[in-house]
PDB file of all heavy atoms in Angstrom:
ATOM      1  N   MET A 354     -31.796  64.759   6.438  1.00 83.00           N
ATOM      2  CA  MET A 354     -32.766  65.756   6.948  1.00 83.00           C
ATOM      3  C   MET A 354     -32.243  66.338   8.355  1.00 83.00           C
ATOM      4  O   MET A 354     -32.310  67.456   8.652  1.00 83.00           O
ATOM      5  CB  MET A 354     -34.113  65.110   7.116  1.00 83.00           C
ATOM      6  CG  MET A 354     -34.837  64.952   5.804  1.00 83.00           C
ATOM      7  SD  MET A 354     -36.567  64.464   6.081  1.00 83.00           S
ATOM      8  CE  MET A 354     -36.388  62.840   6.761  1.00 83.00           C
ATOM      9  N   GLN A 355     -31.630  65.328   9.161  1.00 78.00           N
ATOM     10  CA  GLN A 355     -31.350  65.686  10.584  1.00 78.00           C
ATOM     11  C   GLN A 355     -29.976  66.255  10.690  1.00 78.00           C
ATOM     12  O   GLN A 355     -29.729  67.115  11.462  1.00 78.00           O
ATOM     13  CB  GLN A 355     -31.621  64.593  11.472  1.00 78.00           C
ATOM     14  CG  GLN A 355     -33.015  64.088  11.456  1.00 78.00           C
ATOM     15  CD  GLN A 355     -33.292  62.869  12.303  1.00 78.00           C
ATOM     16  OE1 GLN A 355     -32.412  62.363  13.038  1.00 78.00           O
ATOM     17  NE2 GLN A 355     -34.458  62.354  12.384  1.00 78.00           N
ATOM     18  N   ALA A 356     -28.997  65.723   9.880  1.00 77.00           N
ATOM     19  CA  ALA A 356     -27.628  66.137  10.030  1.00 77.00           C
ATOM     20  C   ALA A 356     -27.314  67.355   9.022  1.00 77.00           C
ATOM     21  O   ALA A 356     -26.458  68.221   9.306  1.00 77.00           O
ATOM     22  CB  ALA A 356     -26.655  64.975   9.713  1.00 77.00           C
ATOM     23  N   ALA A 357     -28.030  67.380   7.919  1.00 76.00           N
ATOM     24  CA  ALA A 357     -27.784  68.510   6.881  1.00 76.00           C
ATOM     25  C   ALA A 357     -28.910  69.451   6.860  1.00 76.00           C
ATOM     26  O   ALA A 357     -28.977  70.315   5.878  1.00 76.00           O
ATOM     27  CB  ALA A 357     -27.488  67.866   5.548  1.00 76.00           C
ATOM     28  N   ASP A 358     -29.907  69.400   7.711  1.00 76.00           N
ATOM     29  CA  ASP A 358     -31.026  70.365   7.717  1.00 76.00           C
ATOM     30  C   ASP A 358     -31.805  70.430   6.374  1.00 76.00           C
ATOM     31  O   ASP A 358     -32.137  71.483   5.909  1.00 76.00           O
ATOM     32  CB  ASP A 358     -30.506  71.780   8.115  1.00 76.00           C
ATOM     33  CG  ASP A 358     -30.648  71.972   9.630  1.00 76.00           C
ATOM     34  OD1 ASP A 358     -31.140  71.097  10.314  1.00 76.00           O
ATOM     35  OD2 ASP A 358     -30.051  73.011  10.094  1.00 76.00           O
ATOM     36  N   PHE A 359     -31.915  69.270   5.714  1.00 83.00           N
ATOM     37  CA  PHE A 359     -32.572  69.238   4.414  1.00 83.00           C
ATOM     38  C   PHE A 359     -34.106  69.198   4.658  1.00 83.00           C
ATOM     39  O   PHE A 359     -34.588  68.300   5.332  1.00 83.00           O
ATOM     40  CB  PHE A 359     -32.176  68.028   3.513  1.00 83.00           C
ATOM     41  CG  PHE A 359     -32.210  68.236   2.080  1.00 83.00           C
ATOM     42  CD1 PHE A 359     -31.072  68.581   1.348  1.00 83.00           C
ATOM     43  CD2 PHE A 359     -33.360  68.311   1.433  1.00 83.00           C
ATOM     44  CE1 PHE A 359     -31.126  68.781  -0.032  1.00 83.00           C
ATOM     45  CE2 PHE A 359     -33.461  68.450   0.071  1.00 83.00           C
ATOM     46  CZ  PHE A 359     -32.364  68.786  -0.677  1.00 83.00           C
ATOM     47  N   PRO A 360     -34.909  70.139   4.078  1.00 86.00           N
ATOM     48  CA  PRO A 360     -36.407  70.093   4.345  1.00 86.00           C
ATOM     49  C   PRO A 360     -37.026  68.804   3.904  1.00 86.00           C
ATOM     50  O   PRO A 360     -36.689  68.376   2.775  1.00 86.00           O
ATOM     51  CB  PRO A 360     -36.848  71.267   3.510  1.00 86.00           C
ATOM     52  CG  PRO A 360     -35.650  72.161   3.404  1.00 86.00           C
ATOM     53  CD  PRO A 360     -34.507  71.279   3.354  1.00 86.00           C
ATOM     54  N   ALA A 361     -37.883  68.286   4.644  1.00 87.00           N
ATOM     55  CA  ALA A 361     -38.520  66.955   4.382  1.00 87.00           C
ATOM     56  C   ALA A 361     -39.199  66.884   3.084  1.00 87.00           C
ATOM     57  O   ALA A 361     -39.012  65.849   2.315  1.00 87.00           O
ATOM     58  CB  ALA A 361     -39.471  66.504   5.554  1.00 87.00           C
ATOM     59  N   THR A 362     -40.154  67.831   2.828  1.00 90.00           N
ATOM     60  CA  THR A 362     -40.911  67.808   1.603  1.00 90.00           C
ATOM     61  C   THR A 362     -40.140  68.083   0.346  1.00 90.00           C
ATOM     62  O   THR A 362     -40.392  67.606  -0.671  1.00 90.00           O
ATOM     63  CB  THR A 362     -42.077  68.792   1.722  1.00 90.00           C
ATOM     64  OG1 THR A 362     -41.549  70.109   2.182  1.00 90.00           O
ATOM     65  CG2 THR A 362     -43.071  68.377   2.631  1.00 90.00           C
ATOM     66  N   MET A 363     -39.052  68.820   0.573  1.00 90.00           N
ATOM     67  CA  MET A 363     -38.073  69.039  -0.607  1.00 90.00           C
ATOM     68  C   MET A 363     -37.315  67.772  -0.896  1.00 90.00           C
ATOM     69  O   MET A 363     -37.160  67.365  -1.979  1.00 90.00           O
ATOM     70  CB  MET A 363     -37.173  70.163  -0.334  1.00 90.00           C
ATOM     71  CG  MET A 363     -36.315  70.557  -1.528  1.00 90.00           C
ATOM     72  SD  MET A 363     -35.261  71.983  -1.119  1.00 90.00           S
ATOM     73  CE  MET A 363     -34.463  72.270  -2.696  1.00 90.00           C
ATOM     74  N   MET A 364     -36.883  67.067   0.172  1.00 91.00           N
ATOM     75  CA  MET A 364     -36.171  65.807   0.077  1.00 91.00           C
ATOM     76  C   MET A 364     -37.036  64.785  -0.688  1.00 91.00           C
ATOM     77  O   MET A 364     -36.657  64.155  -1.699  1.00 91.00           O
ATOM     78  CB  MET A 364     -35.772  65.273   1.480  1.00 91.00           C
ATOM     79  CG  MET A 364     -35.298  63.808   1.444  1.00 91.00           C
ATOM     80  SD  MET A 364     -33.638  63.651   0.691  1.00 91.00           S
ATOM     81  CE  MET A 364     -32.633  64.364   1.923  1.00 91.00           C
ATOM     82  N   LEU A 365     -38.331  64.682  -0.327  1.00 92.00           N
ATOM     83  CA  LEU A 365     -39.227  63.765  -0.906  1.00 92.00           C
ATOM     84  C   LEU A 365     -39.483  64.071  -2.336  1.00 92.00           C
ATOM     85  O   LEU A 365     -39.484  63.099  -3.220  1.00 92.00           O
ATOM     86  CB  LEU A 365     -40.505  63.780  -0.145  1.00 92.00           C
ATOM     87  CG  LEU A 365     -41.699  62.881  -0.697  1.00 92.00           C
ATOM     88  CD1 LEU A 365     -41.274  61.442  -0.666  1.00 92.00           C
ATOM     89  CD2 LEU A 365     -42.931  63.124   0.082  1.00 92.00           C
ATOM     90  N   GLY A 366     -39.716  65.395  -2.627  1.00 94.00           N
ATOM     91  CA  GLY A 366     -40.045  65.801  -3.978  1.00 94.00           C
ATOM     92  C   GLY A 366     -38.847  65.513  -4.964  1.00 94.00           C
ATOM     93  O   GLY A 366     -39.022  65.030  -6.046  1.00 94.00           O
TER      94      GLY A 366
END
Side-chain angles (χ1 to χ4, degrees):
M354 287 189 297
Q355 297 178 5
D358 271 352
F359 209 102
T362 47
M363 187 178 184
M364 169 68 73
L365 175 63

